[in-house]
Amino acid sequence: MNGRSESVTGPPLVVIGGSAGALGGLLDLAGGLPNDFPAALLVVVHIPPDQPSVLPELLNRAGPLPAKAAEDGEQLQGGHIYVAPPDHHLLARHTTLQLSRGPRENRSRPSIDVLFRSAAYSFGPRAAGLILSGMQDDGTSGLWAIKQFGGTAIVQRPEEAQYQDMPLSAVRQVEVDDILPVHEIASRLVAWADTLGTREVKVSVDQTERRRLGLELGIAGEEASFEAGILNHGPLSPFTCPECHGVMMQIKEGRLTRFRCHTGHAFTSGTLISGVRQMVEDSMWSTVRALDEQVMLLAHLGKHLREAGQPDEADHLHQETQEATERMRLLRRVALRQEPLA
């Protein structure tokens, strides 16, 4: 995608993102929409990459609008629901759908942020974004982009959500238009569609943000991040990517700070903290494994030395084995969070 958005003909667009606990609210929403709802709806719900999604079938049974798994190159139709398939980002490129296996964002593919940014960039004021139940904060950056481009931001009431993290993150960091219980969201979307073109629109995005957003959407669509010059679009960060250990740059979006590495992986601050914690734990268990192997090797060699009539050398290795065993046990307790190192 280039650095400027273009006018879009065709249906308006509603983009919906959810994770843990979002299914019930999504089905309730589908059941509350009328069969003549004019907008197309794109849905990202976090699911394991190696399992088929049954969400289109569930949505088909829940309400009057036809639902299906999105297909690459498909033309958007109003009154239809399109669901991101497992392990693929879903993007709205004007009136056409794009599927990609671009770098994961917030350790997820499909990413809610990718979908929402594409809606903001291509549809501007004719896009509405909805955040449902989920853990961590995927979707906050994308909802911010929708607001910057003049779109409408709606969030499920956090107190109602089974998992409040995603709704709370959006409410705290984005100037959302509505915070609603699920049973009121369908009627709100109908009212939104009815008033398109008549309400006052506030577009806050500047040309620098527009160019950077276009670049990021290109990366999500499988363009080469480093060759596109992503590191030139923000200050370099001292932190490395938990996914690939690459250099990262820092992006500021309103009250939100996030990071993207030169290979393309992207993180909000909260997801980066989670990723670094996981990286530290993985490193500790890798060290535990190495110490286990050292103990096994020392014990094995000590046995052979004793059998070969070299008791002094065997005693030396036995002492080293005991010291390595103590180090392994200490680090294992730390990895299990049973006690601190000191």
Side-chain angles (χ1 to χ4, degrees):
M1 290 188 177
N2 58 33
R4 46 191 299 270
S5 61
E6 301 172 13
S7 61
V8 176
T9 58
L13 184 65
V14 176
V15 287
I16 304 169
S19 188
L23 179 60
L26 187 56
L27 297 180
D28 287 346
L29 171 62
L33 292 170
N35 57 12
D36 61 349
F37 186 65
L41 299 99
L42 304 187
V43 179
V44 164
V45 174
H46 294 155
I47 55 175
D50 56 350
Q51 295 183 14
S53 174
V54 297
L55 185 55
E57 290 82 358
L58 295 175
L59 289 170
N60 265 316
R61 293 199 290 266
L65 303 183
K68 65 186 297 290
E71 298 180 31
D72 189 50
E74 188 170 8
Q75 290 292 312
L76 282 170
Q77 296 185 60
H80 286 63
I81 304 173
Y82 304 88
V83 179
D87 204 29
H88 287 78
H89 291 312
L90 172 60
L91 298 89
R93 296 198 62 170
H94 310 306
T95 60
T96 304
L97 297 181
Q98 179 186 8
L99 299 180
S100 86
R101 296 196 71 253
R104 292 189 294 180
E105 295 211 15
N106 291 322
R107 317 204 90 170
S108 296
R109 188 174 52 226
S111 162
I112 300 168
D113 282 330
V114 166
L115 171 61
F116 281 27
R117 289 189 204 114
S118 72
Y121 191 85
S122 286
F123 284 76
R126 301 180 73 240
L130 168 61
I131 295 290
L132 297 173
S133 170
M135 294 186 287
Q136 296 191 337
D137 53 6
D138 190 18
T140 297
S141 171
L143 199 65
W144 178 87
I146 286 175
K147 285 294 295 180
Q148 292 294 104
F149 279 80
T152 298
I154 304 171
V155 176
Q156 179 183 6
R157 182 178 290 168
E159 298 83 0
E160 176 194 76
Q162 186 174 348
Y163 293 91
Q164 300 183 10
D165 289 2
M166 279 174 42
L168 279 176
S169 175
V171 168
R172 289 168 176 167
Q173 301 187 77
V174 179
E175 294 181 7
V176 302
D177 295 284
D178 294 283
I179 305 169
L180 300 172
V182 166
H183 73 271
E184 295 182 12
I185 293 175
S187 60
R188 174 66 178 92
L189 290 175
V190 170
W192 164 80
D194 287 343
T195 58
L196 277 177
T198 63
R199 64 184 178 85
E200 182 180 351
V201 174
K202 179 183 178 182
V203 178
S204 305
V205 65
D206 61 28
Q207 289 302 314
T208 299
E209 289 171 338
R210 192 184 298 270
R211 284 193 296 271
R212 189 255 306 157
L213 190 67
L215 175 60
E216 291 195 273
L217 290 173
I219 293 167
E222 301 184 10
E223 294 178 12
S225 174
F226 181 73
E227 292 178 14
I230 187 61
L231 295 182
N232 299 323
H233 287 261
L236 293 182
S237 164
F239 314 114
T240 57
C241 174
E243 296 261 4
C244 68
H245 309 296
V247 175
M248 291 201 298
M249 48 85 74
Q250 183 173 310
I251 300 169
K252 187 73 173 175
E253 294 176 332
R255 297 188 291 270
L256 177 72
T257 299
R258 59 188 182 90
F259 303 85
R260 188 179 288 276
C261 79
H262 68 83
T263 66
H265 302 114
F267 305 86
T268 58
S269 298
T271 311
L272 179 60
I273 291 170
S274 177
V276 169
R277 285 174 181 152
Q278 184 63 53
M279 188 168 60
V280 169
E281 181 175 349
D282 291 345
S283 296
M284 285 195 292
W285 283 112
S286 179
T287 305
V288 169
R289 174 200 54 77
L291 287 169
D292 280 342
E293 292 176 358
Q294 181 185 26
V295 168
M296 287 188 289
L297 177 61
L298 290 170
H300 179 75
L301 294 178
K303 178 182 177 183
H304 278 281
L305 286 172
R306 200 169 299 281
E307 291 173 350
Q310 297 176 274
D312 291 342
E313 291 83 351
D315 288 343
H316 176 75
L317 287 185
H318 177 70
Q319 179 63 33
E320 191 174 346
T321 301
Q322 289 182 315
E323 293 171 356
T325 300
E326 286 303 311
R327 288 195 298 271
M328 178 271 294
R329 288 172 177 169
L330 173 60
L331 187 57
R332 184 181 179 85
R333 288 194 296 269
V334 172
L336 291 170
R337 298 193 178 98
Q338 291 186 0
E339 64 178 48
L341 269 171

